[in-house]
Amino acid sequence: MRLDKYLSHTGQGTRNQVRHLIKQGVVEVDGIVCKQAARHITNEVVSVYGERLKYEPFLYYMMHKPKGILSASKDAKLPTAIDLLQGVNPLPVHVVGRLDIDSTGLLLLTNNGALAHKIISPKTKYPKHYHVSVREPLTPAQINRLETGVELDGIMTKPCQVRAIDGLTYEVILIEGRYHQIKKMMHAVANEVTALHRTRIGPLVLDDALLPREYRALTEEEVLQLQTFHDA
Ligand code: URA
């Protein structure tokens, strides 16, 4: 594997950031400064600022979560998203941003903790897109309340977007992920969620070729888009 890719895979930054490190002369291969991003690495010892790197490749999957599967790692009674991956994946990946057991749609799973943290944090404003079906159509006044913020457990929700898709289904775009957030928001305007499906996390869109329970590894392009996403 190329040195720049190796550095990126060990969490040293995006391809551009690691090339900058290499140019700076802070990257050593077997104890010797290496300034060639294309240098081929197999079993050599690579260090950055004198710190030896441990090569544990990052893994990224998207899954089409069905109903009835928990988006936790382990559960004594119920099957989890991680159980669906088992046997395939020797490294511990975790779910990024949970979905309720009765919600469906896009789950992101990775062992890249720094990226997971970035995606979950409301500060970085990765929008999470949901298709939400409700018991009764929302009035313009209710949509306005939801979009500007409702009080949940004493704290206002952050501004969000709500757009009608058809009679009882709306697209809701949130930049935060509080516990049962959309269900509680709909309760706050005297309505009720009847189905909730996540279609997108930031730039990552659920692949419509994936049936419920199916998953696939992200492409390099999708990983790069997630890593370099900035609020527009
Ligand atoms: N909001 C909810 O209430 N449930 C989910 O699963 C996701 C967002």
Side-chain angles (χ1 to χ4, degrees), residues 98-104 130 174 177-185 193 196 198:
R98 295 183 170 195
L99 283 177
D100 296 338
I101 189 152
D102 54 350
S103 299
T104 58
Y130 301 86
L174 301 182
R178 291 166 58 183
Y179 185 59
H180 293 330
Q181 177 157 348
I182 296 177
K183 289 179 184 158
K184 287 182 176 175
M185 287 171 72
V193 171
L196 199 152
R198 184 159 60 201

Side-chain angles (χ1 to χ4, degrees), residues 126-217:
Y126 277 70
K128 285 90 183 171
H129 297 232
Y130 301 86
H131 285 185
V132 183
S133 301
V134 287
R135 199 189 53 223
E136 284 164 28
L138 293 165
T139 63
Q142 286 171 327
I143 292 180
N144 186 42
R145 274 195 67 204
L146 292 168
E147 288 192 325
T148 47
V150 293
E151 192 179 316
L152 299 184
D153 309 319
I155 301 168
M156 295 302 283
T157 56
K158 297 205 184 313
C160 72
Q161 292 169 51
V162 180
R163 176 181 72 83
I165 297 178
D166 63 42
L168 288 172
T169 306
Y170 296 81
E171 182 180 55
V172 177
I173 307 176
L174 301 182
I175 54 154
E176 55 182 347
R178 291 166 58 183
Y179 185 59
H180 293 330
Q181 177 157 348
I182 296 177
K183 289 179 184 158
K184 287 182 176 175
M185 287 171 72
M186 292 302 171
H187 269 144
V189 296
N191 212 321
E192 196 190 335
V193 171
T194 56
L196 199 152
H197 180 81
R198 184 159 60 201
T199 56
R200 180 171 178 159
I201 300 175
L204 186 68
V205 178
L206 178 63
D207 186 336
D208 57 17
L210 289 178
L211 296 173
R213 301 179 79 89
E214 288 185 343
Y215 60 89
R216 67 158 172 82

Side-chain angles (χ1 to χ4, degrees), residues 1 6 40-44:
M1 175 185 310
Y6 183 102
H40 193 70
I41 303 296
T42 45
N43 289 319
E44 294 84 344

Side-chain angles (χ1 to χ4, degrees), residues 18 38 49 89 156 173 223:
V18 304
Y49 293 112
N89 183 4
M156 295 302 283
I173 307 176
V223 173

